[in-house]
Structure formats: C-alpha cells, structure tokens
C-alpha cells in the first residue's frame, strides 16, 4: 500500500490511523507519535513523542528514549519546545555516558534556545549540567569549582532554592575529588540544611546521600545512618533507583 499510494494520500492515511489510535483507550504514545510523524502533523507528533521519550527514559530504555526525543526535537515549533527536547536528550546522553553529546546539547540550550530555556526555567540546571560534564570530560576541577561557586552566588541572589541545594551538593563532590574532605563534608551539610528548608524530599534524599559519601572514607560508621535516612525518604517516594543506591552504599 505504501509503495502504490500517492504520498499525499499516504500522509492523510497515517493521520487517520493516528487519530483512531488516539481515540482508543490504552494505546501507546509511541505508536501514535510514529504515525503523526509520517503524516507530517508536527504539533501532535511532538506532543506524543515527548511522552513516549519520557516513558522510555523512566524505564532506562535509553536508545528508544533518544529516538523519540529526537523525533520531538525535529517537530518542535517554538524555542521552548526545542529547549525542552534538547534538555531531555542531554539527560539521556549523560545517563549513558555520551558526555560530549550532552555537553553539546547544553551549549545549544544556552545559546540558540536560550529564550526557550528561560521560559521553561531550565537555564540554571543546564549551566550546572555543563560544568558537571566538563568535569567528567577532564576539565581541571579547580576551574569547575570556580564556575560552580559563581553559579551558587547567582542562585542565592535569585533565591532559587532547588538550584542552591544542587550546587552545594555538586561543590561537595568537586571538593571530594580534589581531596578536600573537610570542605566536602561542610558543603554536603549545607546542602542538607538547604534541602530541609526547601521541603523537597527528593532533593533532601540526594543531599543526605552526598553527606554520607563525604564522610565515608574517614568515618564509614558515620556514613551508614545517613544512607539509611536517605533510604527511608526514597522508600516513601517509591524511588527504586534511589533505594538501590542506598542499599549498595550501606
């Protein structure tokens, strides 16, 4: 049928199939996105591809997530939609170790799609991710440390609580890599205090995990209660990955 049909009629057929699948309860956004993509219906293809990519990423199906998010990126019609797709792709790239690709996406978010990133409020997190990736790609830790301190000052100035916690946690990690155990623990404790004030249990659990790791080498017995406290939080949040991290560390 595809070989014999006029291309315009074929696109319309794909659109009719997509709309029929949309009307059916329980059908997958992945199948719907593919038909809307072939139909050339950008707005619907983008919307369903974002959902399909998110579901795949949540199940650690990283290659499938990348495929659908790239489809979403192709059909993005605004700077915000482009920034959103690239941000999700950067997270997947980082998760699987494609650090160069992830860094390139962060640079794109902060340049070509800067206005969209500002609308979504993801620019601070993209700047933080870029520094984290630079560290993993071999940038001098002292340079990354200076950049993170600048970002932390900006976050405090704007009162961005979540970003403050994340940057304090990252500063603890960088100091730990530099061998500054006392500074690593101090920043980790500051991150826990800031997370407690924010009321965000997921941020708090991650900060407590970092605190445990910051004392692990010098005082392993002191680290275990922190990991167990984080485990309680991850359990309440039904975060399986966080629970596994805690069990491994304990």
């Amino acid at each position: 049928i595809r070989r014999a049909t006029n291309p315009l009629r074929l696109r319309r057929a794909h659109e009719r199939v997509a709309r029929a699948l949309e009307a059916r309860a329980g059908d997958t956004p992945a199948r719907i996105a593919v038909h809307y993509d072939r139909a050339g219906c950008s707005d619907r293809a983008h919307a369903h591809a974002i959902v399909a990519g998110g579901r795949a990423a949540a199940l650690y199906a990283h290659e499938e997530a990348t495929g659908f998010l790239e489809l979403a990126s192709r059909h993005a019609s605004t700077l915000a939609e482009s920034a959103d797709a690239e941000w999700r792709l950067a997270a997947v790239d980082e998760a699987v170790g494609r650090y160069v690709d992830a860094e390139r996406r962060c640079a794109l978010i902060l340049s070509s799609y800067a206005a969209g990133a500002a609308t979504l409020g993801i620019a601070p997190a993209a700047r933080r991710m870029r520094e984290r990736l630079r560290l993993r790609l071999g940038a001098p830790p002292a340079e990354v440390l200076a950049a993170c301190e600048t970002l932390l000052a900006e976050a405090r100035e704007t009162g961005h609580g979540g970003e403050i916690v994340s940057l304090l946690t990252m500063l603890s990690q960088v100091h730990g890599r530099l061998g500054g155990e006392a500074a690593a623990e101090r920043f980790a404790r500051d991150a826990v205090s800031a997370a407690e004030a924010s009321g965000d249990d997921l941020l708090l659990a991650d900060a407590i995990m970092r605190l445990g790791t910051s004392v692990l080498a010098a005082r392993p017995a002191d680290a275990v209660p922190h990991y167990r406290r984080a485990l309680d939080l991850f359990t309440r949040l039904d975060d399986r990955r966080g629970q596994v991290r805690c069990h491994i560390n304990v």
Side-chain angles (χ1 to χ4, degrees):
I1 292 171
R2 288 199 298 269
R3 284 197 301 270
T5 304
N6 175 282
L8 179 58
R9 290 185 65 191
L10 183 59
R11 287 199 299 272
R12 288 173 178 167
H14 276 297
E15 182 178 359
R16 289 197 300 273
V17 171
R19 292 190 182 281
L21 292 174
E22 266 186 321
R24 255 179 17 175
D27 222 299
T28 63
R31 297 205 314 156
I32 298 169
V34 168
H35 283 291
Y36 273 130
D37 173 51
R38 291 173 180 172
C41 298
S42 287
D43 56 339
R44 305 304 297 161
H46 173 270
H48 286 284
I50 285 288
V51 175
R55 288 186 182 181
L59 296 172
Y60 306 103
H62 295 119
E63 293 311 312
E64 186 175 349
T66 297
F68 280 108
L69 292 171
E70 286 179 343
L71 190 157
S73 181
R74 291 197 302 273
H75 286 285
S77 60
T78 66
L79 289 176
E81 287 180 352
S82 294
D84 181 40
E86 290 297 323
W87 175 240
R88 292 168 185 263
L89 281 161
V92 174
D93 285 338
E94 183 180 23
V96 298
R98 296 191 293 253
Y99 300 139
V100 172
D101 290 340
E103 186 184 26
R104 175 180 56 79
R105 294 189 194 280
C106 285
L108 192 61
I109 291 165
L110 296 169
S111 55
S112 300
Y113 304 143
T119 299
L120 297 171
I122 61 173
R127 287 195 292 269
R128 175 165 42 86
M129 178 187 278
R130 184 172 59 181
E131 294 306 323
R132 186 167 67 241
L133 293 164
R134 286 184 62 239
L135 186 64
R136 287 174 173 168
L137 287 168
E143 282 186 14
V144 175
L145 192 66
C148 288
E149 286 173 344
T150 299
L151 293 175
L152 177 60
E154 292 174 3
R156 282 178 166 154
E157 187 174 335
T158 58
H160 197 313
E163 194 61 22
I164 290 169
V165 175
S166 297
L167 283 163
L168 287 168
T169 301
M170 187 171 169
L171 282 163
S172 172
Q173 293 168 340
V174 179
H175 276 290
R177 184 170 291 200
L178 287 169
E181 293 178 358
E185 182 180 350
R186 184 177 72 254
F187 277 107
R189 290 189 182 282
D190 288 346
V192 170
S193 297
E196 287 171 336
S198 76
D200 187 321
D201 283 347
L202 182 57
L203 276 176
L204 178 58
D206 282 331
I208 293 169
M209 281 282 287
R210 178 57 212 165
L211 177 56
T213 302
S214 72
V215 302
L216 182 60
R219 306 192 306 279
D222 291 347
V224 173
H226 296 306
Y227 293 143
R228 293 202 184 281
R229 183 185 174 196
L231 176 59
D232 288 341
L233 287 166
F234 283 126
T235 301
R236 288 210 302 269
L237 294 166
D238 195 30
D239 185 325
R240 306 294 179 86
R241 181 174 179 272
Q243 292 172 50
V244 170
R245 288 168 55 208
C246 292
H247 284 299
I248 290 170
N249 287 2
V250 168

